[in-house]
Amino acid sequence: MISKKMEEAINNQINEEMYSAYLYLAMAGYFAEQNLMGFENWLFVQYHEELGHAEKFYKYLIERGGKVKLMAIKEPTATWKNPREAFEAVLNHERHITGKINELVDLAEKEKDRASFAMLQWFVNEQVEEEANAQDILAKLEMVGDHKQGLLMLDRELAQRK
Ligand code: OFO
């Protein structure tokens, strides 16, 4: 049986992951408005990944005999100055989520909850990838600067994500 503290922390994390999904869906919509459908595709795939993260925590909580408690998802930002600002927001958000995962790992250690500690290792590794992906796209956007042609090339690259 999972502890009440860990149950509460995982329920909070389900909300964090749902907010991530919501944020990236809002961002996909923002890119669709600019007719940058490759960026829209990348973020729409990311939205699904975040739903998958929330589901992973949800399933785990049930497996451990915990009680799922869903909370309101806050309204995400819906507009950014330009693609670079949007991806700065992605990177900052992923750094925030990495912090949250690290707090969960600390709690699992404190509570001597080995099962949660083991489950969380997947998320520790996933966050390395999440931050690296955001960093990579942001670096490319910085290289591209104000050149429309570069932006369209990057858009075509991001359209490949499945
Ligand atoms: Fe769930 O990793 Fe991004 O937020």
Side-chain angles (χ1 to χ4, degrees):
M1 187 88 180
I2 200 157
S3 74
K4 279 288 153 206
K5 259 194 190 161
M6 188 55 83
E7 178 186 279
E8 197 188 327
I10 290 179
N11 274 317
N12 285 337
Q13 192 61 31
I14 291 174
N15 190 265
E16 291 278 352
E17 301 290 348
M18 291 301 286
Y19 175 76
S20 303
Y22 226 35
L23 174 65
Y24 298 147
L25 187 61
M27 211 178 265
Y30 158 80
F31 278 106
E33 266 177 59
Q34 331 281 312
N35 288 315
L36 289 167
M37 296 311 283
F39 281 90
E40 188 275 345
N41 170 67
W42 193 94
L43 284 150
F44 196 74
V45 174
Q46 191 60 31
Y47 151 72
H48 277 282
E49 267 208 14
E50 299 300 350
L51 290 181
H53 295 168
E55 285 169 17
K56 225 176 165 77
F57 279 115
Y58 160 91
K59 289 275 185 205
Y60 174 75
L61 200 50
I62 289 177
E63 247 172 27
R64 294 287 314 278
K67 186 174 163 46
V68 172
K69 185 175 181 291
L70 298 182
M71 289 162 275
I73 305 165
K74 77 174 188 241
E75 185 179 331
T77 308
T79 187
W80 293 268
K81 263 204 304 246
N82 49 44
R84 193 171 48 81
E85 198 193 69
F87 270 84
E88 272 166 8
V90 174
L91 182 57
N92 284 337
H93 183 67
E94 287 308 325
R95 285 178 176 156
H96 162 78
I97 294 294
T98 300
K100 289 286 161 190
I101 297 292
N102 290 341
E103 283 174 20
L104 281 169
V105 173
D106 289 346
L107 182 62
E109 270 181 327
K110 208 170 127 215
E111 304 255 300
K112 295 192 175 16
D113 181 346
R114 269 117 191 153
S116 295
F117 184 85
M119 179 276 293
L120 286 164
Q121 298 316 299
W122 185 91
F123 282 96
V124 169
N125 293 327
E126 178 70 3
Q127 281 312 117
V128 173
E129 204 185 293
E130 296 277 79
E131 285 193 31
N133 289 341
Q135 234 153 7
D136 178 56
I137 297 171
L138 183 57
K140 285 177 178 157
L141 282 168
E142 277 163 1
M143 263 186 264
V144 162
D146 291 331
H147 296 100
K148 291 266 180 290
Q149 215 177 343
L151 190 63
L152 289 176
M153 271 170 68
L154 186 53
D155 190 59
R156 231 172 284 146
E157 183 187 322
L158 299 182
Q160 305 308 313
R161 188 180 187 195
K162 291 198 175 71

